[in-house]
Amino acid sequence: MNSPQTTVVDVVVLTMNDRPAECRRALASLLAQQDVELRVVIVGNGVEPDHVPADAHAVALPVNVGIPEGRNVGADALGDPGGEFVFFLDNDAVLPTPDILARLVAEARSHPDAAYIQPRIADPDTGVTLRRWVPRLRAGDATRPGIITVMAEGVVLVRRADYEQAGGWPGHFFLFHEGIDLSWRLWDLGRTGWYAPGIVIHHPATDPARHASYYRLVARNRVWLAYRRLPVLLIPIYLTVWTLLSLARIRSRTNLAVWGAGLWEGLKGGHGQRQPMSWTTVLRLARAGRPPIV
């Protein structure tokens, strides 16, 4: 029987069997964690997982359903009843010391209003934390802790009760921006997020644009995000700001054409259930430093 002090953390790891060495390192660092009880599930996204440690669960999906839906499947596989927390871990990330999860749980205890705790992600070779890994607008100082309104979803600890009340990840997004959607729904429940940069997790600094579908999915999912979560008056403002920023950043005509196709795909529909955040949530996000128009 577990002691009353033991914290149960459910851990979801996705694999496509395309990173065998990295995945083994990730799982080894995970299983070395101390002072928490782990329940681990390995979700094979379109594959039978080729490495499943003892006592870990395995789920093999017949097709690749995308990252957010794969995470949903993993979390559901460990539920009823689930652990107090769910930890989502990319299969090429490494927990460099055996106290990482215990420290994340301690941060959650220290910040009871936070639905999720975000560690600092750093490249293992350079120690650099990419700007996109710092979940706030002012990302110049990656070591500054504080309340956050979005998340770097590849490595994050979420309270299961909040995760389930919010409805989990937007599975049909397939890839990109699912963390904004989930974060906004958690904030709309009256919760917050907390960035704990003193807890560092290693992840290689890769370029998301390496994915052939990057520009299409980024454009489509931004539109879906606005249609799903914003009050109607904010939708054109959000999309205008985002479009102008994208046009300024995308240098390649080929990439711009792919981006435009994704934009049109999003405008045609398919965003799913519309559940806009309240104006109270809009004000809370603005006060926290990121109004939902950027």
Side-chain angles (χ1 to χ4, degrees), residues 57-97:
H57 299 266
V59 176
L61 300 176
V63 297
N64 181 0
V65 297
I67 289 177
E69 184 60 16
R71 294 191 188 114
N72 286 335
V73 169
D76 290 347
L78 293 174
D80 196 27
E84 183 179 356
F85 297 94
V86 186
F87 183 58
F88 298 95
L89 179 69
D90 276 357
N91 70 353
D92 55 349
V94 170
L95 312 182
T97 59

Side-chain angles (χ1 to χ4, degrees), residues 145-257:
I147 291 175
I148 50 175
T149 61
V150 293
M151 66 172 71
E153 56 276 284
V155 182
V156 65
L157 183 80
V158 188
R159 297 181 199 271
R160 180 177 276 279
D162 291 324
Y163 168 84
E164 292 182 348
Q165 187 177 357
W169 304 94
H172 65 301
F173 274 36
F174 196 85
L175 180 63
F176 303 123
H177 300 323
E178 66 269 18
I180 305 176
D181 187 277
L182 178 55
S183 297
W184 282 357
R185 280 180 284 129
L186 291 169
W187 272 78
D188 208 35
L189 295 176
R191 310 291 282 148
T192 65
W194 182 258
Y195 180 51
I199 304 172
V200 178
I201 291 179
H202 292 162
H203 190 294
T206 54
D207 182 1
R210 72 189 186 280
H211 297 284
S213 58
Y214 172 76
Y215 289 101
R216 179 181 69 84
L217 293 182
V218 161
R220 185 198 69 182
N221 291 356
R222 280 281 188 176
V223 178
W224 282 0
L225 181 68
Y227 282 0
R228 285 163 59 84
R229 302 302 170 205
L230 292 181
V232 66
L233 293 177
L234 293 185
I235 293 175
I237 300 174
Y238 180 89
L239 293 180
T240 298
V241 170
W242 170 74
T243 296
L244 292 174
L245 288 173
S246 298
L247 292 175
R249 291 170 178 169
I250 301 173
R251 305 298 183 183
S252 163
R253 289 185 179 181
T254 300
N255 291 338
L256 191 60

